[in-house]
Amino acid sequence: MHRHQLDFWYDFASPYAYLAAMRIEALAETHAVDIRWRPFLLGPIFAAQGWTDSPFNLFPAKGRYHWRDLARQSAKYGLPFKAPANFPPNSLAAVRIGLHLRDNDQVGPFSRALFAATFGEGRTMSDADVLASVLTGLGIDAGRAIAESQSPGVKARLRAETEEARSRGLFGSPTFLTGDGELFWGNDRLEEAIAWAAGERPGDMR
């Protein structure tokens, strides 16, 4: 069977990306779609729009709605949900580790485990002990992975990934990009993105 591809762009600080990350591979497999995990930093893209904080914080009414919505959606999918004490969490170290782990196909398991720790358990993703615990739980040498994620090569890759995200028109997380460049934003567009990547064209009015 021919395999299709879908790029899954996400910032670890995004709670809606948590919902998508915990569902995406099972859904993709039903359509013979391979997922490319693309962690990046959303902060620079927000900054380019003049935002100095998460929209959850900049627009309090919207923030209150989103936290309630996240609780509802998590329950819908049977996922635990606990808002982190400080939002948005600092995702820099996590994104660097994710990019480093892409070289040996461990970025997916790491991403799911860290999302679960952050938004399922309310742990602090920027805490070195939390990162080490997640890595060790996956059988990864935590000290080595953390050290190598801070290399100049990984830092340069992060800059390139974030610039690619900006140049391709990304403005939020999660975002899904199909092989033909179709962009879908938000956890609630995951199923549609996978269908499109597989060759189905629901809602295509072009």
Side-chain angles (χ1 to χ4, degrees), residues 36-181:
R36 287 209 308 169
W37 296 73
R38 306 289 300 268
F40 77 110
L41 284 178
L42 191 54
I45 292 175
F46 280 170
Q49 301 177 54
W51 293 356
T52 58
D53 201 346
S54 165
F56 281 36
N57 298 332
L58 292 173
F59 308 103
K62 186 176 184 180
R64 287 190 296 273
Y65 168 79
H66 279 314
W67 289 122
R68 182 62 193 137
D69 183 58
L70 284 159
R72 291 195 304 258
Q73 293 299 304
S74 297
K76 171 184 173 181
Y77 299 126
L79 295 170
F81 180 72
K82 186 174 182 180
N86 297 304
F87 187 83
N90 185 334
S91 60
L92 176 59
V95 171
R96 286 176 175 169
I97 293 171
L99 289 174
H100 167 63
L101 294 177
R102 263 176 42 186
D103 293 338
N104 52 16
D105 296 326
Q106 293 173 313
V107 61
F110 169 72
S111 298
R112 288 191 300 272
L114 185 60
F115 271 126
T118 302
F119 295 108
E121 303 172 20
R123 301 171 72 188
T124 303
M125 73 168 61
S126 59
D127 188 311
D129 290 338
V130 172
L131 291 168
S133 174
V134 167
L135 290 163
T136 300
L138 296 170
I140 299 170
D141 184 329
R144 181 177 179 179
I146 292 171
E148 292 181 351
S149 74
Q150 298 171 357
S151 70
V154 171
K155 292 178 180 179
R157 185 186 300 181
L158 174 55
R159 289 192 294 271
E161 288 289 300
T162 303
E163 175 55 27
E164 181 181 345
R166 185 203 62 77
S167 69
R168 299 188 72 176
L170 273 69
F171 55 85
S173 169
T175 294
F176 314 99
L177 275 173
T178 64
D180 62 349

Side-chain angles (χ1 to χ4, degrees), residues 19-37:
L19 301 181
M22 305 308 283
R23 306 188 304 122
I24 191 168
E25 288 194 326
L27 289 169
E29 190 57 36
T30 65
H31 286 74
V33 172
D34 291 326
I35 300 301
R36 287 209 308 169
W37 296 73

